[in-house]
Amino acid sequence: MALVTTTEMLKKAYEGGYAIGAFNINNMEIIQGIIRACKAQNSAVILQVSKGALKYIGRDYLKPMVMAAIAETGMDVALHLDHGSDLETIKEAIECGCTSVMFDGSHYDFETNIAKTKEVVEYAHARGVVVEAELGRLAGVEDDVNVSKEDATYTDPDEALEFVKRTGADSLAIAIGTSHGAYKFKGEAKLDFKRLETITKKLEEAGFKNYPIVLHGASSVDVKSVEICNEFGASISGAKGMPVEMLRHAASLAVCKINIDTDLRLAMTAGIRKHLAENPKDFDPRGYLGNARTYLQEIVEAKIIHALGSVNSMQ
Ligand code: G3H
Ligand code: 13P
Ligand code: ZN
């Protein structure tokens, strides 16, 4: 039971045909809901913080809260920086206890992304920290998307191989149709599995055996959570996420880490709204936050079972 890096987790996930959930954390109740779900399902887990989450939680709170989760459950936990935008943020995250960092240079041109990612890899590796990089830009897939637009934003397989070779990044986030937030698809959901398989094949042929691929923007936008939110005062319409079966299929291929934030936000909001609406006299935060934490745990357990396939992956 310790704070660990993601290396072993991702390796086992690849070999086992499942993915580890990388859940975004923003406060104590979210950490507890996630960690209790993982404990209940005996699932390996990555807790991740964005730069904004680190600022919100506070540098001095982050690691002690994660260590408390480890002590409560007796589980190994990896702490990961999500979407690090520059070396300063990477350095801060490592100082705050992150064992894994993402450098997101996906908005830079190819050469700049390589140069900046390499710099991060050198810095992080020298400190025993692993690096996730990103190539390709996540975008929503709409019915009228045309091929050239698709090719312009999706990860190019040849570039992916060159990128991995030249940067030394430990894992790669790719764009194959997912997008961040609650509005991922209009019409039918599509994921470019062929592209994923081509990227994997090229990596394998070049000697990168079992190289872990990461999927961002992978919330399913759980219908029940949206319904509860709307029933109790929210106005969330037209939201649509990644179908669970598509995530499970991706996890059976080279996708070893699946990022989930939106579903946690929806679960917290649904739990809080429902509790307050049904208990109008209640103004004790332990009531509504506790309710939200329990509901979030349910959502995470369902995800572990149906989307990630990571039940019993914790040794
Ligand atoms: O992909 C981004 C995550 O959902 C984190 O979002 O920067 O608002 O914390 P945030
Ligand atoms: P969602 O918005 O689909 O939850 O994606 C989260 C994510 O990719 C965090 O990096
Ligand atoms: Zn992301």
Side-chain angles (χ1 to χ4, degrees), residues 7-22:
T7 313
E8 269 305 300
M9 285 185 191
L10 299 185
K11 186 171 178 282
K12 283 185 189 156
Y14 202 117
E15 288 163 358
Y18 61 87
I20 311 287

Side-chain angles (χ1 to χ4, degrees), residues 20-206:
I20 311 287
F23 299 99
N24 286 75
I25 55 172
N26 291 286
N27 66 12
M28 183 186 75
E29 283 79 8
I30 295 176
I31 295 175
Q32 290 171 331
I34 296 165
I35 211 80
R36 289 173 191 176
C38 293
K39 178 73 180 171
Q41 295 301 328
N42 198 27
S43 169
V45 61
I46 298 169
L47 297 178
Q48 57 185 15
V49 270
S50 66
K51 188 177 179 174
L54 181 54
K55 191 164 170 227
Y56 179 83
I57 291 173
R59 303 176 49 124
D60 295 335
Y61 285 80
L62 178 67
K63 191 172 171 189
M65 281 204 293
V66 172
M67 294 311 290
I70 292 171
E72 178 189 334
T73 56
M75 292 178 10
D76 286 344
V77 174
L79 180 59
H80 173 79
L81 170 71
D82 192 26
H83 292 285
S85 52
D86 49 53
L87 192 56
E88 278 318 299
T89 309
I90 302 284
K91 286 181 182 173
E92 190 185 5
I94 293 174
E95 276 167 25
C96 290
C98 286
T99 53
S100 168
V101 290
M102 176 198 191
F103 173 68
D104 180 358
S106 60
H107 48 288
Y108 291 114
D109 64 72
F110 187 61
E111 287 300 330
T112 310
N113 191 0
I114 287 181
K116 287 185 182 284
T117 302
K118 249 183 102 172
E119 197 184 6
V120 168
V121 168
E122 275 159 26
Y123 182 87
H125 281 184
R127 287 154 185 84
V129 170
V130 297
V131 178
E132 172 185 323
E134 179 162 344
L135 184 68
R137 264 176 227 153
L138 259 63
V141 178
E142 304 200 356
D143 272 346
D144 59 357
V145 74
N146 61 43
V147 173
S148 61
K149 188 175 166 205
E150 183 180 299
D151 280 336
T153 54
Y154 282 15
T155 307
D156 177 86
D158 291 313
E159 283 191 355
L161 174 58
E162 189 182 339
F163 187 89
V164 169
K165 271 188 190 164
R166 288 174 58 193
T167 60
D170 304 285
S171 62
L172 184 68
I174 59 168
I176 54 169
T178 58
S179 65
H180 290 110
Y183 303 91
K184 301 190 192 303
F185 298 101
K186 281 185 186 158
E188 215 187 310
K190 284 182 214 135
L191 256 202
D192 194 344
F193 287 112
K194 197 155 183 300
R195 189 175 296 264
L196 169 61
E197 287 180 41
T198 309
I199 291 169
T200 310
K201 191 160 172 271
K202 284 192 186 280
L203 284 166
E204 242 171 50
E205 283 170 359

